Amino acid sequence: MPIKSRIRAIPDYPKKGIMFRDITTLIKDPAGFRLVIDGLTQRYLENGVDFDVVVGVEARGFILGSALAYTLGKGFVPVRKPGKLPADVVSQEYELEYGTDKVEIHLDAILPGTRVLLVDDLLATGGTALAAAALVEKVGGVVAEMAFIVNLPDIGGERKILDKGYRVFSLTEFEGE
């Protein structure tokens, strides 16, 4: 059974008209979780994307990023919601459909010139990923690529990210669904 078929669809969540793609059904399945981590590991072992550290976006990006960092022998850096990191931080605000949100990274998490693989579960509007990329750059890092389990290209996040000059990889897509 492929990755896509292990992802649960929840209609009208978090609001009417939204088809929510829930990866918890994918990662609770040992074979599904293995498919995800093995697929990403193979991508970065075989495709010459040069990076030094994996950055995972709260919260599902922690699950993926930590496992991927382990399989690739890389370090892991979390991007968190405000108030969750104990040392000095840098913040980045970003737009939501109704309002704004913010993410943070430790000021000393990434040395200048460090190449980063940014990881999260799903790419929809691109707001969180672009905010995380801005944080990486604020502390002197360079985003080598952004990786996701799921891309929802119809929502436009992939196009925004590509238009900013970043590389994007996803294991599966839900288009027009």
Side-chain angles (χ1 to χ4, degrees):
M1 187 186 316
I3 288 172
K4 193 172 187 176
S5 63
R6 288 178 163 93
I7 298 170
R8 174 174 37 202
I10 301 174
D12 299 322
Y13 182 84
K15 66 178 192 159
K16 188 135 182 79
I18 302 289
M19 181 63 72
F20 185 80
R21 302 300 176 172
D22 180 16
I23 65 135
T24 63
T25 51
L26 168 66
I27 63 174
K28 80 173 185 179
D29 172 20
F33 191 46
R34 183 178 296 274
L35 281 171
V36 169
I37 299 306
D38 287 353
L40 290 171
T41 299
Q42 289 309 307
R43 160 91 179 154
Y44 296 106
L45 286 176
E46 297 173 358
N47 288 301
V49 177
D50 178 39
F51 65 94
D52 307 301
V53 68
V54 176
V55 170
V57 180
E58 188 164 339
R60 290 174 294 269
F62 294 177
I63 299 165
L64 306 172
S66 295
L68 184 60
Y70 173 78
T71 63
L72 295 172
K74 304 287 186 179
F76 175 79
V77 173
V79 166
R80 305 246 15 218
K81 295 186 187 291
K84 302 290 185 179
L85 294 170
D88 293 337
V89 298
V90 176
S91 300
Q92 180 67 40
E93 195 170 273
Y94 62 101
E95 296 291 321
L96 297 170
E97 192 170 348
Y98 298 105
T100 61
D101 207 348
K102 189 186 291 188
V103 288
E104 297 179 338
I105 194 169
H106 274 138
L107 188 58
D108 62 356
I110 297 168
L111 297 174
T114 300
R115 295 184 54 79
V116 166
L117 173 64
L118 199 141
V119 179
D120 205 355
D121 65 324
L122 186 133
L123 173 56
T125 66
T128 307
L130 287 170
L135 284 177
V136 166
E137 292 168 352
K138 279 182 178 181
V139 296
V142 177
V143 178
E145 188 163 89
M146 297 184 193
F148 306 89
I149 296 173
V150 177
N151 180 19
L152 305 175
D154 293 347
I155 296 179
E158 179 183 33
R159 176 56 34 218
K160 282 185 206 169
I161 289 170
L162 293 171
D163 287 349
K164 296 271 187 185
Y166 298 110
R167 293 173 48 166
V168 176
F169 175 76
S170 63
L171 291 170
T172 193
E173 291 186 350
F174 288 92
E175 218 168 346
E177 299 174 47

